[in-house]
Amino acid sequence: QVQLVESGGGSVQDGGSLRLSCKASGFTFGNSCMGWFRQAPGKEREAVAGLSPVGRTTEYTDSLKGRFAISRDNANNILYLQMNSLNPEDTAMYYCAARDSCRRWTGILLSESTYNYWGQGTQVSVSS
């Protein structure tokens, strides 16, 4: 059974940092493309970042480059999202996503249709 379990969300003040984790099981993590998405209240879900199976290729939504960093630990089946300089506009539910047996990833890591597994999300709230 495939599981993606996010953790690390919480409430922080403007300018703070958080590191989200996503523990994966039930599929071959090291062969999978991984991504982070977020959905703010009243808004559509949007891409945050994506990562190729061995982590050599990353893609970020332009507006988040330089503040967010995606990484993975293939030995322990964990995906991370380091978020720095958070502001209230970053308040959202953050979702981990996976595409198993991922062989091509150029230009598609930020597309929701790339991914076939999704976690339940972890809430991030940033106050001013």
Side-chain angles (χ1 to χ4, degrees):
Q1 180 183 0
V2 171
Q3 282 194 313
L4 295 171
V5 180
E6 301 95 334
S7 62
S11 297
V12 295
Q13 291 195 325
D14 196 350
S17 297
L18 283 174
R19 187 175 80 157
L20 306 184
S21 299
C22 172
K23 176 67 174 175
S25 60
F27 62 99
T28 305
F29 184 78
N31 291 344
S32 300
C33 292
M34 300 297 297
W36 286 101
F37 291 77
R38 69 183 184 181
Q39 187 168 20
K43 296 187 177 180
E44 293 187 355
R45 188 159 57 187
E46 64 173 351
V48 174
L51 188 61
S52 59
V54 295
R56 290 180 182 154
T57 300
T58 58
E59 292 183 15
Y60 293 92
T61 290
D62 285 345
S63 61
L64 300 177
K65 283 181 182 178
R67 293 197 299 123
F68 288 17
I70 188 171
S71 61
R72 65 193 298 160
D73 176 355
N74 282 359
N76 293 295
N77 293 359
I78 302 174
L79 179 73
Y80 297 104
L81 183 69
Q82 178 67 43
M83 306 187 294
N84 299 322
S85 301
L86 287 162
N87 60 65
E89 288 69 42
D90 296 316
T91 294
M93 185 71 79
Y94 284 72
Y95 297 91
C96 169
R99 170 61 182 251
D100 61 346
S101 301
C102 187
R103 296 179 178 85
R104 291 186 290 179
W105 47 82
T106 302
I108 63 170
L109 291 172
L110 298 182
S111 174
E112 287 192 36
S113 62
T114 294
Y115 300 96
N116 53 347
Y117 301 126
W118 292 83
Q120 294 299 306
T122 186
Q123 178 68 40
V124 171
S125 298
V126 185
S127 59
S128 58

